Amino acid sequence: MCKADKRKKTTMADLARLTGVSVMTVSRALKPNGSTSAETRRRILEAAENLGYLVDRSAVSLATQRSGFVAVVTPRSPEALFQDIRNGLCDGLLAAGVEPLLSPPHDCPAQEETLVVAALSRRPEAIVLAGGPHTPRCSRLLEQANIPVVEIFNLPKQPIGHAIGFCEHNAGRRMARYLTKEGYRRIGFLGGDPSWDPCGGALRGGFLDELRHRGVSDLLVQGWPRPTMEMASAAKATRILLRRDPDIDAIMCVSDKAAYAALQVCEQRGLQAPCDVAIASFGNTELAAHSTPGLTSLDIGACSIGARAADVVVRSLKDGQFAAAPSSEEIQTKLKERGSTHGTPKPCAHTKQLLHAYMMR
Amino acid sequence: MCKADKRKKTTMADLARLTGVSVMTVSRALKPNGSTSAETRRRILEAAENLGYLVDRSAVSLATQRSGFVAVVTPRSPEALFQDIRNGLCDGLLAAGVEPLLSPPHDCPAQEETLVVAALSRRPEAIVLAGGPHTPRCSRLLEQANIPVVEIFNLPKQPIGHAIGFCEHNAGRRMARYLTKEGYRRIGFLGGDPSWDPCGGALRGGFLDELRHRGVSDLLVQGWPRPTMEMASAAKATRILLRRDPDIDAIMCVSDKAAYAALQVCEQRGLQAPCDVAIASFGNTELAAHSTPGLTSLDIGACSIGARAADVVVRSLKDGQFAAAPSSEEIQTKLKERGSTHGTPKPCAHTKQLLHAYMMR
DNA sequence: CTGAAAGCGCTAACAC
DNA sequence: GTGTTAGCGCTTTCAG
């Protein structure tokens, strides 16, 4: 009844004193399957509710040697994709009764290491993180942590435990193959600085390799220094690209947002996709499907990566065998072809109307 | 040197045994300002590094009664906005040396309660969460938790502790006022189901109120049942709206993504913004600024909300006085006017070119 | 500079 | 059904 005025939090001892039982009885009454008389439990639960008592999970963790949560450490970039991945992951874990606890987003391997140290210090049951690259110490700590480690998004060269992801390099090559087959020859690449977006860097690497392999070497690359303001950065980079090579005929972008920004800049310049310049991207988020024209984009199945990861975590937690025999699952990126790289644009209703208005003047 | 083969994690006792000192010395050696001889410390740190030792923060929390982290509990919707808010918040907290720990996103107050219980059980130093609504029990637990509570995003009717946010109702009214002043009379609203998006619901409420107040009562509302696939849902809802009232002259949307989808649908139908139908939205994210035409949108300063919240948390943690005297800061939404509701569209370069191609056939 | 003792809040393993 | 004892891994406090 009386509110806790003191700084001290209420403990089981308080509940025990109040209800005239031992601490152990309180502990049992608070669990769904503890053996306590109905009446005793009722009184204890009532007292707990009145005082707003909540178990101290630090103490529980210490006593049981089980923390009951799974750590999730993801990079800030690419946000839209990790958003979906995290959603799929969290939903899957919660559905299985496992609690995910997310670290703040990181911008580089060094920061990742800091966050992984913090996460491991809380003794998670398992840890899910992006495929890297990690710092050497980070990798070592993960190996020594003795818990299931699940690397997602990009497939690491040397997985620590389980891995579910795609190969960015292959993804880049794939798109390069497609664009060259479609006949594009003066191709640009738009992406962030690899120091904060290693994944985009690898994508670009694969893209470049394949282009060279196909004899398309006159490639222009334009990047930007920070992960924020992606559209504005991409728009600016596009302008530079167009200035450097006005005859550019295709631009591959590291994300749908960047691609959308590039598309707008091109249109403002009177360049129409795909006839004047093709725009392709990576991620296949909602925006790619809904923009006009639609953006040709590489799909990585972000939601399903999250769901698969949740599955692997849950199985690892249940089954020591499975946890001990790390699996590696390569996700094949799917090239989703849309109007930004293929087909001739027809004047849409909008254009017809403008045309009409234009001629009526 | 030898790897930890057993399930047991290494503890300070192991390090103490290995280096021939007491546990207490190990404890001191591990802290930056503990008084230990340089040589002893060196050996201890070396052993720790070799074994991949990391302190057990459950034990530290228990012993010191300080967990050293701040809990962050946010709703899934509106994702884009909370993304920015979380980023600003996390950056601010990390910069001040406070560790944020994020709960998975929730879809309703009941789920929020569950997550808040889990978070409070870990005894955070403070908790940051959306302004609600919360379940009664959730509010009560937050009050009894005896830690700084910071509610962000929307201003709660009855703040628990500090609050930094805007009034969705006022925001809705604001946009209604603007649209009616611009001369729009047949106005629709597009949003998600209030059960999972209470904030969008309040926005709609304010919007409706103001319209009624101004004698524009013939309002059409269209929503969707799930937080996912926002653009697809909004596109579908837009089609229904257009079918129900082909003469609709403006559509207010709960998010920029929804608005963008609506814009595309309208254009596909030959309706041009703003002359045939105006599109307005909420959030003022990158997309609103970069779409063509730009989307008129209500700006809430998401990043700064996060930064301000971090500031309040840090001050509360430092200053008991400040923590005890809850502040409430109302953020004024700014109406960012763009081409989707205002001005006459000029045929852009793209159109001119299409026009040209069209006439050359 | 180092160590021994006590205890943080809780639970496992036994008693009764 | 309930209580007792003994820790979980660490820090605080007090002695040296």
Side-chain angles (χ1 to χ4, degrees):
Chain A
M1 287 299 164
C2 67
K3 291 184 71 173
D5 302 307
K6 298 287 181 186
R7 275 206 66 83
K8 309 270 320 156
K9 315 279 193 344
T10 42
T11 72
M12 283 191 182
D14 298 324
L15 297 182
R17 209 173 311 116
L18 247 62
T19 53
V21 295
S22 75
V23 178
M24 203 52 229
T25 303
V26 174
S27 172
R28 288 195 261 254
L30 258 30
K31 325 212 148 304
N33 50 358
S35 49
T36 344
S37 81
E39 169 58 10
T40 316
R41 158 167 291 154
R42 200 194 54 68
R43 282 173 45 226
I44 294 175
L45 288 179
E46 187 186 297
E49 198 58 33
N50 284 337
L51 295 175
Y53 171 81
L54 297 175
V55 274
D56 185 327
R57 292 184 62 170
S58 301
V60 176
S61 296
L62 193 55
T64 60
Q65 296 290 73
R66 313 193 72 256
S67 62
F69 83 96
V70 170
V72 179
V73 181
T74 49
R76 172 167 280 153
S77 168
E79 280 197 326
L81 264 27
F82 271 102
Q83 180 98 275
D84 284 344
I85 292 180
R86 275 195 303 261
N87 280 342
L89 177 62
C90 289
D91 290 349
L93 290 177
L94 288 172
V98 182
E99 187 194 351
L101 224 40
L102 320 184
S103 296
H106 63 260
D107 290 316
C108 62
Q111 207 185 341
E112 181 191 48
E113 179 186 315
T114 309
L115 296 177
V116 165
V117 165
L120 292 178
S121 297
R122 300 186 191 287
R123 302 286 185 267
E125 307 277 322
I127 182 166
V128 179
L129 71 173
H134 314 296
T135 65
R137 185 165 108 96
C138 184
S139 296
R140 214 158 39 70
L141 289 173
L142 287 167
E143 278 159 16
Q144 295 175 324
N146 228 350
I147 54 171
V149 174
V150 182
E151 289 174 286
I152 57 174
F153 194 68
N154 55 336
L155 224 45
K157 316 108 259 316
Q158 217 177 312
I160 297 166
H162 299 275
I164 301 162
F166 57 91
C167 171
E168 318 103 299
H169 199 267
N170 285 346
R173 299 186 62 159
R174 172 119 186 214
M175 186 56 93
R177 212 177 309 132
Y178 167 78
L179 289 176
T180 48
K181 276 196 179 155
E182 288 284 309
Y184 300 105
R185 282 297 173 273
R186 299 181 75 87
I187 307 177
F189 187 97
L190 239 53
D193 188 295
S195 72
W196 58 264
D197 184 13
C199 167
L203 184 75
R204 175 164 96 189
F207 190 74
L208 281 167
D209 281 357
E210 184 68 23
L211 284 189
R212 273 194 217 99
H213 177 68
R214 296 180 168 256
V216 181
S217 56
D218 193 12
L219 183 89
L220 297 155
V221 173
Q222 190 59 42
W224 50 87
R226 308 245 39 240
T228 48
M229 307 278 287
E230 190 168 5
M231 283 189 171
S233 303
K236 192 173 166 192
T238 306
R239 283 183 213 108
I240 297 175
L241 218 51
L242 293 178
R243 200 174 309 136
R244 284 215 304 232
D245 185 354
D247 295 328
I248 193 167
D249 64 6
I251 303 176
M252 168 63 179
C253 306
V254 84
S255 75
D256 292 337
K257 263 175 136 180
Y260 183 77
L263 187 66
Q264 301 306 309
V265 169
C266 288
E267 296 206 339
Q268 282 158 19
R269 291 276 197 283
L271 301 173
Q272 201 194 344
C275 42
D276 300 314
V277 57
I279 307 280
S281 68
F282 179 80
N284 193 30
T285 54
E286 283 188 287
L287 186 54
H290 288 265
S291 84
T292 316
L295 293 166
T296 291
S297 191
L298 288 166
D299 187 293
I300 61 163
C303 294
S304 73
I305 288 184
R308 291 286 306 119
D311 204 58
V312 170
V313 167
V314 172
R315 282 187 59 189
S316 296
L317 258 27
K318 291 228 166 81
D319 180 358
Q321 297 279 310
F322 180 73
S327 64
S328 198
E329 182 178 333
E330 179 167 357
I331 305 249
Q332 296 302 326
T333 55
K334 292 186 198 39
L335 198 152
K336 189 81 190 171
E337 187 177 52
R338 294 201 182 86
S340 68
T341 61
H342 189 77
T344 349
K346 277 149 288 189
C348 61
H350 173 173
T351 309
K352 281 189 199 156
Q353 198 173 15
L354 274 183
L355 173 80
H356 183 72
Y358 203 61
M359 291 167 71
M360 295 292 282
R361 287 188 316 189
Chain B
M1 283 298 166
C2 68
K3 290 183 73 174
D5 302 307
K6 299 287 182 187
R7 276 206 65 83
K8 309 268 325 155
K9 315 277 189 350
T10 40
T11 72
M12 282 191 182
D14 298 324
L15 297 182
R17 210 174 309 117
L18 248 64
T19 52
V21 295
S22 76
V23 179
M24 206 46 236
T25 303
V26 174
S27 172
R28 287 196 261 254
L30 259 29
K31 325 210 146 304
N33 51 357
S35 47
T36 341
S37 79
E39 169 58 11
T40 315
R41 160 167 290 156
R42 200 194 53 68
R43 283 174 42 226
I44 294 175
L45 288 179
E46 188 186 297
E49 199 58 34
N50 284 337
L51 296 176
Y53 171 81
L54 296 175
V55 274
D56 185 326
R57 293 185 60 171
S58 301
V60 175
S61 296
L62 193 55
T64 60
Q65 295 292 74
R66 313 192 72 256
S67 62
F69 83 95
V70 171
V72 180
V73 181
T74 50
R76 172 167 282 155
S77 167
E79 280 197 327
L81 264 25
F82 272 102
Q83 180 99 275
D84 285 343
I85 292 179
R86 274 195 304 261
N87 281 343
L89 176 63
C90 289
D91 291 350
L93 291 176
L94 287 171
V98 183
E99 187 193 352
L101 224 40
L102 319 186
S103 296
H106 64 260
D107 289 316
C108 63
Q111 207 184 341
E112 181 191 49
E113 179 186 315
T114 309
L115 295 176
V116 165
V117 166
L120 292 178
S121 296
R122 300 187 189 286
R123 302 284 184 268
E125 308 277 324
I127 182 166
V128 180
L129 71 173
H134 315 295
T135 65
R137 187 166 108 97
C138 184
S139 296
R140 214 159 38 71
L141 289 173
L142 288 167
E143 277 159 19
Q144 294 176 324
N146 227 350
I147 55 172
V149 174
V150 182
E151 290 174 285
I152 58 174
F153 194 69
N154 56 336
L155 224 44
K157 315 107 261 315
Q158 216 178 310
I160 297 167
H162 299 275
I164 302 162
F166 57 91
C167 171
E168 317 105 300
H169 199 269
N170 284 347
R173 299 186 62 157
R174 173 119 184 213
M175 187 57 93
R177 212 175 310 132
Y178 167 77
L179 289 176
T180 48
K181 275 197 181 155
E182 288 284 309
Y184 300 106
R185 282 296 174 272
R186 298 180 75 87
I187 307 178
F189 187 97
L190 239 54
D193 188 295
S195 73
W196 57 265
D197 184 13
C199 167
L203 184 74
R204 176 164 95 189
F207 190 75
L208 281 168
D209 281 357
E210 184 68 23
L211 284 189
R212 271 193 218 99
H213 178 67
R214 294 179 170 259
V216 181
S217 55
D218 193 14
L219 184 90
L220 297 155
V221 172
Q222 189 61 42
W224 50 87
R226 307 245 41 239
T228 49
M229 307 279 287
E230 190 169 5
M231 282 189 172
S233 304
K236 192 174 166 192
T238 305
R239 282 183 215 108
I240 298 175
L241 217 50
L242 292 178
R243 200 175 310 137
R244 282 215 304 231
D245 186 353
D247 294 327
I248 193 165
D249 63 8
I251 302 176
M252 168 63 180
C253 305
V254 84
S255 74
D256 292 337
K257 264 175 136 180
Y260 183 76
L263 188 65
Q264 301 306 309
V265 168
C266 287
E267 296 207 338
Q268 282 158 21
R269 290 278 195 283
L271 301 174
Q272 201 192 343
C275 40
D276 299 315
V277 58
I279 308 281
S281 67
F282 180 80
N284 193 30
T285 55
E286 283 189 287
L287 185 54
H290 288 266
S291 83
T292 317
L295 294 166
T296 292
S297 191
L298 287 166
D299 187 292
I300 61 161
C303 295
S304 73
I305 288 184
R308 290 287 304 120
D311 204 58
V312 169
V313 168
V314 173
R315 282 188 61 190
S316 296
L317 257 28
K318 291 228 166 81
D319 181 358
Q321 297 279 308
F322 180 73
S327 64
S328 197
E329 182 179 334
E330 178 167 358
I331 304 249
Q332 295 302 327
T333 55
K334 291 184 196 44
L335 198 152
K336 188 82 189 171
E337 186 177 52
R338 294 202 182 87
S340 68
T341 61
H342 190 76
T344 349
K346 277 149 285 188
C348 62
H350 173 174
T351 309
K352 280 189 198 155
Q353 200 173 14
L354 274 184
L355 174 79
H356 183 71
Y358 203 60
M359 291 166 73
M360 296 291 281
R361 286 187 316 189

